[in-house]
């Protein structure tokens, strides 16, 4: 095990009464000064015993589950005051404000997304000058040519039509989160789900875009997914039960006084319901429902089988199906998903033909469909790719073919470190597919891929302004050259990025069991100092989700100060096999992977041994918290954002939102072996008494329905109670009393939140007097 400091001589260890974390060599960063802080909040204890599988243990902070308790409100207020005092003292009192000002200066005063053509309209979003949130708008498309442009000039074709303004809602309610947002096929209606508290209990509103009035707003709360029928007269939507499990599907006929009709209910508490329409709007997929005949029952795709999924699209009388169902009547083995198809007829749903297998070291992740093309979302060797194949597919073979047999066109991307997200791509008749391409060194690029011509166009790049340091002033001019150079790829076959200024590399780190873990490492070539720099290791590792490594201009405030930012793709995220390797009793793999990546950063000199920090959100907070318990000396500081820390108690309570659905991810505590696994790494249940813990900022949101606000409060209170009393002065809790799991969400408000986190880390390392180079 690596140590961040030399141990005290044996004689001093026997008689020393000072905190070991404060006994550092002069060359190491000084610890945060907590002498001027107000007294730490102390939570009351109420006796409470938890029992499971013949074992019992005490949980004196269980009372915090009652968030209406006045003592809990008083505790959170005191914790917020303590956190503000701790961070407010950083850098002589102004560090947080300076960091926030740097971040705001890099954001353009206003922003607009490139218009996306769909039918007769062009849809786009823009953020008005100085505002926090976007506005959804559209304009009629010109008919093209000189005559069309002249007619547009003489008419109102270029007149903007505002469909939805997030800022108006936020001003009225103080908070806004738009979940689903769907335009009807005839472009007359806008259906959207709205959360104004942060609790994700979304309501539904349907606006008539001709009259500009909301014409339908049912009393139901907890509405999740929406799907329009082909006639634009019927809207289907899902409603959650009391545990936030979507379990009902309703159908509402527009311009009718009838209430929504219940068309489907899922009784299995282990399953939730999602609905969508096929790209051509001809079918609704719950099971399968004819879009033009939504009240006449459902077709099952196949008999329900545990862990088998089907994703359907429709094209020219065929269903194209992305599935992981076991292959029949073939000796071919495939891991993950493959592509099949069948006739779009109820009597023929079980007569499938396998179209394409992914091939070696490749997995299918998702798909999209157009009139002439099918787009596949892939991962190859753990990296994202997109490709298109021409439709219709001519199948005249007996055995499944691999993807390469269909002459796929792989969309060119700048590097294998890119994050790739699809755009709206609503128009079924289009031959253009839009992607947003980004990486730690490439500001977001919006790229249109012409699948018919097999060419692409860079249509936009995120603007980054206010770069005042010399290194990043050069970077700003280089950003402009990226777009110019990318457009010449057909000739030059080269992509330009910021790699001359920022180093971004992907390495493999060997974990405890010999498995190699991808680790992406980012730093400034000018400001980084080998063996001396501070750094942050990010992790998540759950639900098969990839760790976000897209461009973020806020990071420049750290990179310019010499920080290293590293992203660990631990098991539990990623493709199906990588995901399963970090779930249930295998969750310990995620934790060991993260620890191995942290030790690698120190061993290879990327980060000083006493300057490594960690950051994790939600399930990523569980990951970091578990490693801190296992190796308290590995990290000098950490930020746990809305963290899942009290997993054992939460998973034992099936009445809490999402708990039963989480059995698939973390295990069922009613099964002894899975309970033992959860209990073995639960951050709340494995704190080390008397041990020195790093400085830790824990953030929470009062209205969070995914991770209860009490989890963070209980964990901080217990750390203060059982660990080193001197070190725990630097463990602080900051609770947003108005928002939910995803925070405030506004452009500039996010700068304030990030600045708070960065200022905490700099103060925790005693490096809050460092300025950008």
């Amino acid at each position: 095990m690596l140590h961040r400091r030399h141990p005290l001589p044996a004689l001093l260890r026997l008689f020393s009464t000072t905190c070991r974390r404060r006994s550092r060599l002069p060359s190491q960063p000084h610890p945060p000064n907590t002498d001027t802080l107000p007294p730490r909040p102390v939570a009351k204890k109420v006796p409470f015993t938890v029992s499971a599988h013949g074992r019992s243990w005490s949980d004196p902070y269980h009372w915090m589950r009652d968030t209406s308790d006045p003592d809990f409100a008083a505790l959170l207020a005191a914790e917020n005051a303590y956190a503000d005092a701790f961070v407010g003292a950083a850098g002589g009192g102004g560090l947080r404000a300076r960091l926030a000002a740097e971040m705001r200066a890099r954001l353009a005063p206003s922003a607009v997304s490139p218009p996306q053509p769909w039918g007769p309209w062009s849809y786009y979003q823009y953020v008005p000058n100085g505002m926090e949130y976007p506005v959804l708008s559209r304009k009629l498309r010109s008919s093209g040519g000189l005559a069309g442009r002249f007619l547009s000039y003489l008419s109102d074709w270029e007149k903007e039509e505002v469909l939805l303004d997030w800022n108006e809602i936020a001003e009225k309610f103080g908070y806004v989160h738009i979940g689903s947002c769907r335009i009807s096929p005839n472009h007359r209606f806008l259906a959207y789900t709205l959360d104004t508290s942060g609790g994700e209990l979304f309501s539904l509103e349907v606006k008539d875009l001709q009259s500009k009035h909301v014409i339908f707003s049912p009393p139901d709360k907890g509405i999740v997914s929406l799907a329009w029928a082909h006639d634009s007269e019927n809207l289907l939507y899902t409603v959650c039960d009391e545990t936030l499990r979507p379990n009902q599907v309703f159908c509402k006929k527009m311009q009718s006084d009838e209430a929504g009709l219940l068309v489907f209910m899922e009784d299995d508490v282990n399953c939730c319901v999602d609905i969508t329409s096929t790209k051509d709007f001809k079918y609704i997929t719950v099971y399968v429902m004819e879009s033009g005949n939504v009240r006449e029952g459902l077709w099952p795709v196949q008999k329900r089988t545990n862990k088998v999924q089907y994703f359907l699209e429709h094209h020219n009388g065929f269903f194209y199906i992305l599935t992981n169902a076991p292959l029949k009547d073939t000796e071919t083995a495939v891991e993950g998903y493959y592509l099949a198809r069948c006739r779009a007829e109820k009597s023929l749903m079980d007569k499938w033909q396998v179209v394409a297998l992914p091939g070696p070291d490749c997995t299918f992740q998702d798909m999209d469909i157009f009139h002439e093309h099918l787009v596949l979302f892939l991962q190859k060797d753990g990296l994202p790719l997109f490709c298109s194949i021409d439709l219709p597919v001519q199948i005249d073979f007996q055995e499944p073919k691999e993807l390469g047999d269909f002459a796929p066109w792989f969309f060119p991307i700048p590097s294998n470190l890119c994050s790739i997200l699809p755009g709206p791509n609503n128009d079924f008749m289009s031959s253009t597919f839009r992607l947003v391409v980004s990486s730690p060194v490439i500001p977001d690029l919006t790229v249109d891929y012409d699948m018919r011509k097999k060419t692409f166009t860079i249509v936009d790049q995120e603007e980054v302004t206010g770069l005042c340091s010399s290194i990043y002033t050069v970077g700003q001019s280089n950003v402009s050259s990226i777009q110019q150079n990318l457009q010449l790829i057909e000739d030059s076959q080269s992509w330009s990025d910021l790699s001359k200024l920022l180093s971004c590399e992907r390495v493999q780190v060997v974990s405890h069991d010999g498995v190699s873990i991808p680790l992406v490492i980012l730093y400034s070539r000018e400001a980084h100092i080998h063996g001396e720099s501070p750094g942050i290791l990010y992790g998540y590792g759950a639900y098969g989700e990839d760790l976000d490594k897209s461009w973020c201009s806020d990071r420049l405030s750290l990179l310019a100060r010499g920080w290293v930012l590293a992203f660990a793709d631990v098991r539990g995220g990623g493709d199906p096999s990588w995901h399963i390797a970090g779930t249930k009793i295998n969750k310990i793999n995620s934790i060991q992977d993260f620890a191995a990546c942290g030790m690698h950063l120190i061993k290879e000199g990327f980060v000083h041994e006493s300057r490594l920090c960690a950051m994790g959100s939600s399930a990523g907070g569980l990951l970091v918290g578990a490693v801190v318990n296992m190796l308290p000396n590995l990290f000098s500081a950490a930020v746990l954002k809305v963290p899942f820390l009290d997993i054992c108690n939460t998973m034992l309570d099936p009445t809490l939102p999402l708990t039963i659905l989480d059995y698939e991810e973390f295990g069922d505590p009613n099964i002894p072996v899975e309970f033992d696994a959860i209990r073995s790494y639960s951050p709340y249940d494995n704190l080390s008494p008397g041990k020195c813990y790093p400085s830790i900022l824990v953030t929470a949101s009062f209205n969070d329905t995914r991770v209860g606000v009490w989890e963070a409060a209980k964990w901080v209170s217990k750390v203060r109670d059982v660990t080193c009393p001197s070190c725990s002065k630097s463990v602080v809790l900051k609770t947003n009393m108005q928002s939910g799991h995803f925070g405030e969400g506004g452009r500039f408000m996010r700068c304030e939140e990030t600045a708070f986190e960065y200022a905490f880390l700099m103060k925790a390392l005693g490096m809050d007097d460092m300025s950008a180079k």
Side-chain angles (χ1 to χ4, degrees), residues 116-123 138-141 159 161 187:
Q116 181 91 58
W118 181 21
W121 296 92
S122 286
Y123 290 88
R138 69 181 181 184
K139 290 182 181 180
L140 279 170
R141 297 169 64 186
K159 184 178 180 180
E161 184 178 343
H187 302 270

Side-chain angles (χ1 to χ4, degrees), residues 532-550:
E532 293 294 325
S533 280
I536 302 175
L537 179 63
Y538 296 86
Y540 186 70
Y543 304 106
E545 295 290 334
D546 291 318
L547 188 62
D548 181 19
K549 295 180 282 293
S550 58

Side-chain angles (χ1 to χ4, degrees), residues 723-773:
T723 69
C724 168
S726 181
C727 292
S728 63
K729 290 181 181 179
S730 299
V731 176
V732 302
L733 172 65
K734 178 71 171 176
T735 303
N736 188 319
M737 301 302 292
Q738 284 79 42
S739 70
H741 194 69
F742 297 103
E744 295 286 357
R747 298 172 75 221
F748 300 110
M749 285 187 284
R750 283 200 301 267
C751 294
E752 296 294 334
E753 293 176 359
T754 304
F756 192 95
E757 296 161 7
Y758 287 2
F760 172 86
L761 293 176
M762 292 178 187
K763 178 179 173 60
L765 296 189
M767 305 180 75
D768 47 331
D769 55 351
M770 291 182 62
S771 58
K773 293 186 178 181

Side-chain angles (χ1 to χ4, degrees), residues 302 325-331 338 350 354:
Q302 293 271 299
L327 287 169
K328 300 177 182 178
D329 303 322
T330 177
E331 296 181 359
Y338 59 91
D350 61 343
V354 177

